[in-house]
C-alpha cells in the first residue's frame, strides 16, 4: 500500500541522504536515529577544528588539532541531549533551510556543574534546554572553545 505524497516525500529524503553519503562517506546518515547527529558532526568537521573519529564513540565524536576530545550534538528541536560528560561539547541548532546556530561551545564540565542537581546527570541521556546552554556558552572563555576554521 502506498500514498503518492508520502512516496514522493520519502523519495526526496532518501535522495538527500544518498547525496550526503556520497559527499561524506565516513558517516552513515541513517534515517532511523543517526541522520541529525551525522549532519551535526559533518558541520563540526567542515567549520571547526574537529577531525571526526572514523567510528563515533559514546562520549566523543572527534578530536581537535590540539588533542581536545569533542562531543558534537545537533537538533532541530529546542533542546540538546547529552549522556556522559565529554571533555568538550559543541551543540548546534539546525534549521530546515540548511543554516545552523552554535548553541554551546566549551567544556562539558560546565554543563555538568550547572545541572549536577539533576538525577543521573553525566550518567544517562538527558535533555537540556538550548536557552540555558546559550547562556552557559556565553560565559566560556575564548581559549576554552573549539576554534572555527
Amino acid at each position: 500500500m502506498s500514498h503518492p505524497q508520502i512516496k514522493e516525500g520519502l523519495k526526496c529524503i532518501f535522495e538527500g541522504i544518498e547525496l550526503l553519503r556520497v559527499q561524506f562517506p565516513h558517516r552513515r546518515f541513517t534515517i532511523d536515529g543517526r541522520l541529525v547527529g551525522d549532519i551535526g558532526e559533518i558541520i563540526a568537521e567542515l567549520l571547526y577544528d574537529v577531525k571526526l573519529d572514523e567510528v563515533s564513540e559514546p562520549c566523543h565524536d572527534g578530536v581537535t588539532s590540539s588533542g581536545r576530545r569533542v562531543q558534537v550534538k545537533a537538533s532541530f528541536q529546542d533542546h540538546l541531549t547529552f549522556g556522559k560528560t565529554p571533555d568538550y561539547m559543541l551543540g548546534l541548532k539546525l534549521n530546515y533551510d540548511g543554516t545552523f546556530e552554535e548553541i554551546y561551545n566549551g567544556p562539558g564540565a560546565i554543563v555538568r556543574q550547572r545541572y549536577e542537581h539533576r538525577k543521573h546527570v553525566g550518567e544517562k541521556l538527558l535533555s537540556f534546554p538550548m536557552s540555558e546552554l546559550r547562556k552557559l556558552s556565553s560565559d566560556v572563555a575564548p581559549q576554552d572553545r573549539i576554534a572555527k576554521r
Side-chain angles (χ1 to χ4, degrees):
M1 198 167 179
S2 178
H3 188 280
Q5 286 99 347
I6 291 175
K7 185 175 180 179
E8 182 62 25
L10 288 175
K11 178 180 178 229
C12 292
I13 289 169
F14 286 106
E15 285 173 354
I17 288 171
E18 185 57 28
L19 177 66
L20 290 169
R21 285 180 178 160
V22 168
Q23 296 294 316
F24 308 103
H26 57 299
R27 287 296 178 264
R28 295 177 46 208
F29 301 100
T30 58
I31 189 78
D32 54 355
R34 296 264 334 139
L35 180 60
V36 174
D38 285 345
I39 291 169
E41 291 170 11
I42 292 301
I43 290 170
E45 185 175 57
L46 292 172
L47 301 177
Y48 291 82
D49 176 25
V50 175
K51 178 175 181 350
L52 295 176
D53 296 334
E54 286 299 315
V55 177
S56 294
E57 301 291 325
C59 194
H60 297 98
D61 298 306
V63 63
T64 67
S65 58
S66 63
R68 292 177 171 176
R69 303 286 299 149
V70 182
Q71 173 76 53
V72 179
K73 290 292 183 174
S75 179
F76 286 96
Q77 305 298 316
D78 291 325
H79 62 274
L80 292 170
T81 57
F82 298 100
K84 294 184 184 248
T85 306
D87 296 342
Y88 289 86
M89 296 182 349
L90 184 59
L92 307 172
K93 175 154 177 42
L94 305 180
N95 301 307
Y96 293 131
D97 65 359
T99 62
F100 74 95
E101 176 188 356
E102 180 184 286
I103 300 298
Y104 183 84
N105 183 344
I110 292 174
V111 176
R112 183 181 178 135
Q113 289 167 359
R114 165 62 179 87
Y115 289 100
E116 64 188 351
H117 65 280
R118 284 184 64 182
K119 188 176 183 178
H120 302 298
V121 72
E123 299 169 14
K124 291 187 176 180
L125 194 64
L126 298 175
S127 179
F128 300 94
M130 286 187 184
S131 58
E132 186 64 27
L133 292 171
R134 272 188 200 95
K135 291 177 193 172
L136 291 175
S137 189
S138 69
D139 291 333
V140 174
Q143 68 271 16
D144 291 332
R145 295 179 177 277
I146 304 305
K148 291 185 177 175
R149 294 192 186 275

